[in-house]
Amino acid sequence: MAEHTPGAAIRAARLARGLSLRALAARVGVSPATMSALETGRTPLTVDRLGEVAQVLDVPAARLLGGDPVRVPEPAAADPGGDDWRAFGALGLDPALAAALRVFVARGYHAATMREVAAEAGLSVAGVYHHYTSKQDMLVRLLDLTMADIRWRLIAARDETADGEGGELGRFARMVEALALFHALRADLAFLGASEMRSLAPAERARITALRDEVQHLLDEQARRAVAVDGGAPADVRTATRAVATMCTSLPSWFRPDGPLSAEQVARRYADYAVALLRAG
């Protein structure tokens, strides 16, 4: 049975945040030996020290004092069980994470507070912290979900056997259509991914940037296949695909579901524009 002590709770919160003992000690301003003694209960935890540790870990002090371990839920699945890349069902976000998404988009990550997230979710602040260690934890989970949702849709679109324009160019067109649909119909996630990468801690920023680059590379590689089959491989494919990706990422800034064109119509036009751009290269 896990030990429910303040020291054990501090250690659990530290590990959930991905901090080494040495890193936590440095932020609190004590030696690693002292921090180790605090976690193991060999050194008494003063009120002032508890407050300092709680602030660094972004966890309520009362929660640490009560020995309440940090619980980190599994990330939400993007359309669990779905295989239709054109279908955009519910994301299955829990109330706290859904509220965080709305608050982060409306207020901006840095301006948003956990109290505002809790109020939006209809929960207590402690109720939010029961599932998420910090505001940063929530942002990371939302951006992980964003990258996962985009990636599977692009791959499914690429690998779909479809009527109409086929071959490698048709695969490329479907991938662009999938990318445009995502940015039109998952506008909040798309906006967060475009605007808040800078708010991530360095290690998480590097990891999620690698996921974003992988998505771009999927589009790049398919474009190279398409132009090779269509009559050569222009040197400017990379610029063309960056232009296509930027075109799609701008959709949340202007597309409205009640506008003159549906998301499906816009996505199909974007796919046609992308093919024309690739051929012009």
Side-chain angles (χ1 to χ4, degrees):
M1 181 178 295
E3 185 182 8
H4 297 291
T5 65
I10 289 172
R11 182 175 187 277
R14 172 175 65 77
L15 293 175
R17 292 272 293 169
L19 289 175
S20 68
L21 188 143
R22 185 177 297 277
L24 177 58
R27 294 189 190 186
V28 174
V30 299
S31 69
T34 297
M35 184 55 64
S36 176
L38 288 172
E39 289 189 355
T40 57
R42 297 195 307 272
T43 294
L45 186 63
T46 66
V47 173
D48 288 344
R49 186 72 73 213
L50 175 66
E52 293 167 351
V53 172
Q55 183 175 7
V56 171
L57 294 176
D58 199 7
V59 176
R63 183 174 176 183
L64 296 177
L65 189 61
D68 185 15
V70 173
R71 294 174 176 84
V72 180
E74 291 299 316
D79 288 342
D83 57 5
D84 182 357
W85 57 270
R86 290 186 176 91
F88 285 78
L91 283 169
L93 301 180
D94 63 72
L97 201 57
L101 176 59
R102 294 191 295 271
V103 173
F104 290 169
V105 169
R107 298 267 291 139
Y109 173 79
H110 287 294
T113 67
M114 289 296 266
R115 190 171 298 279
E116 289 173 324
V117 171
E120 178 71 18
L123 299 169
S124 66
V125 175
V128 176
Y129 277 118
H130 184 73
H131 295 291
Y132 297 96
T133 62
S134 64
K135 191 171 69 167
Q136 178 80 180
D137 183 22
M138 302 180 96
L139 178 62
V140 168
R141 288 170 187 278
L142 287 168
L143 293 181
D144 269 330
L145 175 61
T146 299
M147 294 301 111
D149 200 11
I150 293 175
R151 185 179 185 279
W152 83 258
R153 290 179 187 280
L154 260 64
I155 292 174
R158 181 195 66 192
D159 296 343
E160 178 184 78
T161 301
D163 296 330
E165 185 172 24
E168 302 299 345
L169 198 59
R171 291 173 183 267
F172 174 73
R174 290 195 300 274
M175 291 175 77
V176 175
E177 184 181 350
L179 192 61
L181 277 174
F182 175 88
H183 284 84
L185 296 176
R186 294 266 198 257
D188 281 356
L189 280 180
F191 176 82
L192 199 69
S195 63
E196 296 294 357
M197 289 281 288
R198 62 177 186 248
S199 300
L200 292 168
E204 290 293 353
R205 188 186 309 129
R207 183 180 64 80
I208 292 178
T209 296
L211 296 177
R212 183 186 62 186
D213 290 346
E214 182 183 355
V215 167
Q216 181 67 55
H217 293 158
L218 287 171
L219 198 62
D220 293 348
E221 187 57 35
Q222 187 55 43
R224 292 189 187 96
R225 292 193 191 103
V227 296
V229 170
D230 204 40
D236 215 21
V237 166
R238 186 176 185 276
T239 300
T241 54
R242 289 329 184 259
V244 169
T246 302
M247 183 171 68
C248 292
T249 57
S250 71
L251 272 166
S253 69
W254 69 266
F255 175 78
R256 297 292 177 269
D258 58 352
L261 294 175
S262 69
E264 292 74 17
Q265 289 172 314
V266 169
R268 186 59 250 172
R269 290 191 182 190
Y270 269 41
D272 290 342
Y273 298 156
V275 168
L277 181 61
L278 203 60
R279 283 175 164 163

